Amino acid sequence: NGEITGSTVLFTGGKVGGFKITSTQITSSNLLFDSGNSKIVVGSANKITIQGGGTDNFITMGSKGKVYPYTI
């Protein structure tokens, strides 16, 4: 039935519940978790992007050209 159990496992790829898993990303049709670029993206046409990491840190809703600089 595909059941895997263990206390320490390492997966480098595959699919789980409709999510594709690679060594740096977990994705579905409108969701991206990207550990390689410290980024989360939700949606497609008017997506929400949160990016951290290096010097290009930002949060956008829609186009990156319309960035609203707020500090929380």
Side-chain angles (χ1 to χ4, degrees):
N1 68 2
E3 182 178 331
I4 299 172
T5 60
S7 59
T8 304
V9 294
L10 173 63
F11 295 107
T12 58
K15 282 191 171 188
V16 175
F19 288 90
K20 181 180 176 186
I21 300 172
T22 70
S23 62
T24 61
Q25 296 182 345
I26 299 174
T27 60
S28 69
S29 59
N30 289 311
L31 184 62
L32 165 69
F33 294 98
D34 184 345
S35 66
N37 293 301
S38 302
K39 178 167 53 174
I40 299 171
V41 179
V42 179
S44 57
N46 288 307
K47 64 187 174 188
I48 297 170
T49 304
I50 301 170
Q51 180 160 331
T55 58
D56 190 22
N57 302 321
F58 60 88
I59 299 174
T60 60
M61 288 184 243
S63 170
K64 186 178 175 186
K66 296 180 182 179
V67 176
Y68 301 99
Y70 292 104
T71 303
I72 299 175

